[in-house]
Amino acid sequence: MKKYLTLFSLIGLMVSPSVWAQTEASSAGMLSMDSNQMALLIIIGVIIGVIILLLILMIYLMSFISAVFRKENPELAEETSWWDSFKERFVTGDIEEEQAKEKLMADHSYDGIQELDNFMPPWLQYVFIGTIVFAVGYYANYTVFGIGMTGIEEYEEELRIEAIAAESRSLTADASIDETNVTLDDSGPALGAGKTIFEANCAACHASDGGGGVGPNLTDRYWLHGGDIKDVFAVVKYGVIEKGMAFWEDQLNPKEIQEVSSYILSLQGTTPAAPKDPQGELYSGGSTSESEAPAESMTAADTTAVVTPAE
């Protein structure tokens, strides 16, 4: 039984450094695995376990066969078994021989006391040599050849991957904006982008300052189709074809429609150079709270498909 414990201990000492070195990375990797990857990992683990069990069984059978041969052949009993030879060469060494040498270090003598060169078992020597080889290979891999990624490089790579994922999430969120869930975005970047879109596509009919032309005045409190952000978004998106307001659903994405709609609402209360007379109903707050006789209706139709939301 002791020989098996010794063998397992040796295997554990050889495997444990690499296992501990990869523990943190493996834990993070397992958390990000999907069900298929986890199932594959389990299958590989089972296969490795079966191989280890077969190896143990093979060692046991070899020991059993050796014992049988020794029992049937007395002359073999005096010969050293393969296990004893293996253990002496790679595990324990010949301790008696080493002790008999009395390896005193003559040059390490202090006050009449000489230092003893203690015996180091072979397995410990191999582990020590293995750590040196591993250290040299590790250093060459990450520093000399630059094959492996350093901690900083791994961190930067994770930041890059997360930036791509964040952009993907942002695009998905932007694509889901519609007239039922749109909100007013009065941030500087959004209003700046909305102004650019407005000047490029809407100023021809509503004037660059929103005072109106072919289209209605966007700076007063009167609206033809509602003055809420959802109403303005719907008009920009679907248009009002019968009144010459083109739809922009095919030319602007939902985020851009939100930006230009938010910019249109930011024009409320400004003073255009040549404001057009009010049209529609007075809008206050979230709904039309006060109705007045509609002013002169918009009769000019725009067939050039460049008009932005009518109020």
Side-chain angles (χ1 to χ4, degrees):
M1 186 65 182
K2 291 183 178 180
K3 62 177 67 176
Y4 300 120
L5 292 176
T6 304
L7 178 61
F8 294 151
S9 300
L10 179 61
I11 294 175
L13 289 171
M14 295 174 62
V15 174
S16 58
S18 59
V19 171
W20 284 107
Q22 299 297 329
T23 298
E24 184 176 352
S26 299
S27 300
M30 291 182 66
L31 292 176
S32 63
M33 287 184 179
D34 56 25
S35 58
N36 293 332
Q37 292 174 327
M38 185 63 69
L40 180 61
L41 183 62
I42 293 174
I43 293 174
I44 294 175
V46 172
I47 294 175
I48 294 176
V50 171
I51 293 175
I52 294 175
L53 289 176
L54 291 176
L55 179 61
I56 295 173
L57 180 60
M58 182 181 68
I59 295 175
Y60 174 77
L61 290 176
M62 292 178 64
S63 300
F64 177 77
I65 294 173
S66 177
V68 171
F69 285 162
R70 284 173 174 276
K71 187 175 182 179
E72 293 181 352
N73 301 279
E75 63 275 7
L76 296 177
E78 299 178 357
E79 296 183 3
T80 304
S81 66
W82 67 272
W83 171 252
D84 292 334
S85 300
F86 174 84
K87 184 172 64 173
E88 180 178 335
R89 181 175 181 181
F90 298 104
V91 183
T92 62
D94 191 347
I95 300 179
E96 295 180 357
E97 180 182 353
E98 293 293 334
Q99 290 177 342
K101 291 180 179 179
E102 297 182 355
K103 298 174 65 176
L104 295 176
M105 303 179 67
D107 55 335
H108 285 211
S109 177
Y110 305 95
D111 296 332
I113 301 174
Q114 286 184 305
E115 183 179 350
L116 176 63
D117 185 8
N118 291 314
F119 169 68
M120 177 182 290
W123 68 267
L124 186 55
Q125 297 180 29
Y126 296 140
V127 170
F128 179 69
I129 295 173
T131 57
I132 296 176
V133 174
F134 177 81
V136 172
Y138 185 91
Y139 179 82
N141 181 64
Y142 288 98
T143 306
V144 179
F145 302 111
I147 299 174
M149 297 177 64
T150 63
I152 296 177
E153 291 173 340
E154 290 182 353
Y155 175 72
E156 292 175 346
E157 178 65 13
E158 290 178 1
L159 289 180
R160 185 187 68 82
I161 295 174
E162 177 55 29
I164 295 174
E167 182 179 359
S168 177
R169 290 193 298 268
S170 177
L171 291 176
T172 301
D174 292 346
S176 65
I177 298 175
D178 59 25
E179 60 277 10
T180 65
N181 58 22
V182 65
T183 57
L184 179 67
D185 187 354
D186 56 358
S187 63
L191 294 181
K195 180 179 180 180
T196 301
I197 297 172
F198 183 88
E199 292 176 346
N201 302 288
C202 312
C205 295
H206 293 280
S208 60
D209 57 7
V214 176
N217 184 356
L218 300 177
T219 64
D220 58 33
R221 298 173 59 192
Y222 290 84
W223 297 84
L224 292 169
H225 306 287
D228 184 73
I229 182 64
K230 293 181 173 62
D231 299 324
V232 177
F233 185 96
V235 172
V236 176
K237 181 177 180 179
Y238 300 112
V240 185
I241 305 302
E242 63 273 15
K243 293 185 178 181
M245 173 65 192
F247 64 90
W248 293 91
E249 182 179 12
D250 294 339
Q251 301 182 54
L252 300 176
N253 60 48
K255 181 64 175 177
E256 292 173 331
I257 297 178
Q258 180 192 35
E259 292 169 344
V260 72
S261 300
S262 298
Y263 174 74
I264 289 171
L265 291 178
S266 73
L267 295 175
Q268 292 290 289
T270 60
T271 304
K276 190 176 181 180
D277 292 336
Q279 294 174 273
E281 299 179 346
L282 181 66
Y283 180 85
S284 176
S287 61
T288 304
S289 58
E290 181 181 351
S291 298
E292 298 180 357
E296 181 182 358
S297 300
M298 179 171 56
T299 57
D302 186 350
T303 59
T304 61
V306 292
V307 186
T308 51
E311 296 179 313

